[in-house]
Structure formats: C-alpha cells, structure tokens
Amino acid sequence: MKIKKKRIALDFDNKEKIVQVGKALSSDTRLDILKLLIDKSVNISEIANTFQIPLSTAALHVKVLEEAGMITATEQPGVRGAQKVCGIAFEDIYFNAFRHKMDRDNIKVYHFPMGIGNYYNCMVNENCGIISERSYLGVEDAPYGFYAQNRHEAQLIWFMSGYLEYRFPNYMLKKNKVKELSFSFEVCSEAPGYQNDWPSDITVWINEKEIATIYSKGDFGGRRGHLNPDWWSDTMTQYGVLKNVTINGQGCFEDLVKTSDETLDTLCICDDYFISFKIGIKPDAKNLGGMNLFGEKFGDFAQGIVMSVLMDSSEDEEEEEPEAEEEDSKAEEKDSETEEEVNEEI
C-alpha cells in the first residue's frame, strides 16, 4: 500500500490537533506501532499478535493514531472478510509556537512549488538518466533525455556530476520585506542499482553563489519508495532524504546547521526578475557519489522542489501612511483657502 507521507504541522490556533497528537504519542505501545509501520504496512490482527495485546486494544490504538493523522487504516478484502491495513501517513511533526503571533504581526508564509523537470538550464555527465511516472525519457545513461520536449514530466533525475538550474519568481518578494527564504527537496546519492553506503557531496547555489554542501550517506534502497510506480524495479534507487536549505539575515543553514555567511542581502534575491536555484555535484567534490533528485510521484515525499518565503506584509501599509498624511494636509490647505475666500466675500 502506497502512502503519501506528510508533515504534521501544529500551532496554537488548533489546540484540538495538538491534544490529538499528544495523546497519540503518550503511549509506549502506540510508539512501537508507529515504529513498526515505518518499515511495513500491517493489519490490526498482525499488530495484536506482534505486541501480544487483545484485538480490541490494538483496534483502539489504531483509532487514536488515525484520528491524529499519523496513520491510515484502509479496509481491504482478506481471507476471513474485510480487514483494516494500517500504514504510516506522516514524515515528521512541526510545532510552530509563534504561528499565531506571526499572523497577528502580518508575517505570512508563501510556497512556490517547482517540478524537477522544469529546470532552466542543465549540464550533466554520464552516467545519468531522467524518467517520468510512466517511462524513461530519452536514452538511459546519456544526457539526450535532459533536452526532451516533455522533460517537464520528469519524476526522477540522476547524474554523477554536473548541475540543474531552476529559476523561481520573485515579484512578490519585491513588494514585501523578506524575513526568510528556504528550499526543500528530496535527494540521495547515485550508485549502480542502489548502495545504502555510498557517500556524496551535493552542492546548492543561489544566484551563482555556493551556499551549502549536503552530505548524502547513500543511494537508498532495500525497501520501495512510498510513491514509486509499480513498474520501477526493486533493484534500483527507491527513496531519498528530505533536505531543507534556509537563508535569512544571519546566514545560510542546512537543516538548522549553518553552512555559509551569505545572507538575503548578499545574495541579492530581488535584483533580477528571478531567483536562481542550482543543485549539483562539483567535479572536484570530496565525495563524488552523484545524486538522485525526486519528484512528487517518486520516493517518499509528494513534492518536487519547493521554495518557501517568510514575508512581512506590513511594510506596504507603513509606506502608504505618509501619502495619506500628505493628502490630508492638502485637503486642510484647500479648506483653509475656501474659508478665506468666503470671509472676503462676506
């Protein structure tokens, strides 16, 4: 059973959701069930047998986890009638303690998704490949497919060295004060077939400036990616790791670890008509292990590359206030002149 894993986002505006998730995580048995479901999907009877608990107790645990949005329980035909098959439904839990304050202070978050086949430019070296949800694009282990007219359909891209460049719109950024900019994507190394221990250094550039080098532990397989189509072989790359690169006024960060002193200002994110996001393998990388980049229908995460922007929209209001004051001043002057004219006539 294929499950689209998601992030469970919590904030104080939805206290009921916080309570549900807290309740789900408050039991050792439910934590063990979650750990089991990360590896495979099982039915309620198998859960009861694995943890040696009554079937009714297992069903109650499943109900609590399902209500919290942490698992899915789908009825499927079985030997003795219908049975509920359970699978993991989330990747991580994010508690934004300041979300309610951000909304009150005109702080908003905007997301700009980009399909992995919508690159503006590329330079890749063999061995390489690009596939859609249905088939290979072009010829395997040759760059021809990277220039195919239907490359926008790509759902998995791999190469040993080179780069892909994407261009994100920045028109909204010019109108508001940007507090933080981040990019998330699913990646792993590239090895023949797959090799869980196959290190690679994956570099990220913003507007042609190097901001981070991501260490990938391997080209992951051994289990199927949750989103992979049925035709994709079990002997090939299956899934990656969701990485997040963030830029703010203090520097650049990979999953909260600082990687560069470049900031929003030094990267000049509003100087052009777009933001250039480049990802690839440098020819002189210490760990030259290639890379796989996953689309929304391959791997474990239902997304391509997503640019997220934290913006303060209150700047516009502050800029408009002086104009309003100027108009009021002109109106007062006009009223004063009119009053003098009336007094003269009298």
Side-chain angles (χ1 to χ4, degrees):
M1 181 171 60
K2 297 177 183 178
I3 302 298
K4 288 188 176 183
K5 294 162 69 177
K6 61 185 180 182
R7 163 172 284 185
I8 295 177
L10 304 177
D11 60 71
F12 285 116
D13 287 335
N14 192 347
K15 294 180 181 178
E16 182 181 354
K17 185 67 175 178
I18 297 174
V19 172
Q20 286 179 328
V21 173
K23 179 181 178 182
L25 297 175
S26 64
S27 162
D28 286 344
T29 301
R30 287 195 285 274
L31 291 176
D32 289 336
I33 292 172
L34 287 174
K35 189 175 181 180
L36 172 66
L37 295 180
I38 288 174
D39 293 326
K40 60 181 179 178
S41 298
V42 297
N43 60 42
I44 295 179
S45 296
E46 290 172 318
I47 291 174
N49 292 333
T50 299
F51 300 107
Q52 298 185 352
I53 56 178
L55 190 62
S56 58
T57 302
L60 180 60
H61 284 311
V62 166
K63 182 181 178 182
V64 173
L65 291 169
E66 190 177 15
E67 288 177 347
M70 306 181 82
I71 69 170
T72 58
T74 307
E75 284 197 359
Q76 294 185 3
V79 178
R80 299 180 180 178
Q83 59 181 356
K84 277 195 172 183
V85 177
C86 306
I88 200 76
F90 77 107
E91 171 63 25
D92 58 15
I93 300 173
Y94 177 67
F95 193 165
N96 190 339
F98 295 91
R99 173 65 182 273
H100 64 294
K101 185 178 185 300
M102 288 164 56
D103 289 342
R104 186 174 66 242
D105 293 342
N106 297 310
I107 302 297
K108 303 293 182 183
V109 179
Y110 297 89
H111 303 288
F112 299 83
M114 178 79 73
I116 63 169
N118 292 331
Y119 46 84
Y120 171 81
N121 192 18
C122 71
M123 193 283 292
V124 297
N125 299 314
E126 303 175 8
N127 296 325
C128 59
I130 177 170
I131 61 175
S132 70
E133 183 184 9
R134 298 178 296 276
S135 63
Y136 282 84
L137 300 177
V139 182
E140 184 180 5
D141 290 334
Y144 296 112
F146 286 77
Y147 304 96
Q149 73 277 9
N150 59 339
R151 65 177 183 270
H152 64 277
E153 298 177 4
Q155 293 296 331
L156 181 63
I157 296 174
W158 66 92
F159 51 87
M160 289 307 298
S161 66
Y163 65 83
L164 299 169
E165 181 192 0
Y166 300 84
R167 292 189 172 183
F168 286 84
N170 64 357
Y171 57 91
M172 287 186 64
L173 283 60
K174 295 177 185 249
K175 298 179 181 180
N176 302 284
K177 183 173 178 58
V178 180
K179 297 289 188 180
E180 188 173 272
L181 185 69
S182 65
F183 296 86
S184 64
F185 44 89
E186 182 179 357
V187 290
C188 71
S189 310
E190 164 56 15
Y194 72 84
Q195 295 288 336
N196 291 324
D197 184 13
W198 188 272
S200 187
D201 294 330
I202 302 172
T203 301
V204 173
W205 297 263
I206 298 295
N207 289 346
E208 300 300 328
K209 293 184 178 181
E210 183 178 329
I211 65 164
T213 296
I214 297 166
Y215 176 76
S216 172
K217 293 181 179 179
D219 181 356
F220 301 118
R223 69 159 175 84
R224 290 194 65 79
H226 294 295
L227 305 173
N228 295 353
D230 294 335
W231 67 268
W232 186 244
S233 172
D234 291 343
T235 63
M236 305 295 283
T237 302
Q238 295 296 319
Y239 60 93
V241 176
L242 190 66
K243 287 294 182 178
N244 191 79
V245 175
T246 301
I247 309 108
N248 55 33
Q250 286 71 52
C252 301
F253 303 82
E254 179 216 333
D255 296 337
L256 304 181
V257 177
K258 191 170 185 179
T259 57
S260 170
D261 290 327
E262 298 284 358
T263 65
L264 291 170
D265 290 334
T266 64
L267 291 174
C268 306
I269 61 171
C270 291
D271 282 9
D272 214 325
Y273 293 108
F274 58 86
I275 297 172
S276 170
F277 171 87
K278 188 186 293 185
I279 183 169
I281 308 294
K282 297 195 296 185
D284 60 347
K286 179 181 178 181
N287 296 296
L288 194 58
M291 65 171 280
N292 278 272
L293 182 63
F294 296 80
E296 61 182 9
K297 296 180 180 178
F298 250 88
D300 279 356
F301 303 90
Q303 67 164 76
I305 303 170
V306 178
M307 180 178 78
S308 300
V309 186
L310 188 68
M311 291 192 289
D312 185 352
S313 59
S314 64
E315 295 293 314
D316 285 345
E317 298 173 5
E318 293 176 0
E319 291 176 358
E320 291 173 359
E321 287 177 0
E323 295 180 4
E325 291 176 359
E326 185 178 350
E327 290 177 2
D328 291 341
S329 177
K330 291 178 179 178
E332 290 175 1
E333 290 177 4
K334 186 174 182 181
D335 290 342
S336 178
E337 291 174 358
T338 303
E339 185 178 348
E340 290 177 1
E341 292 174 359
V342 173
N343 289 336
E344 288 177 0
E345 290 178 0
I346 294 174

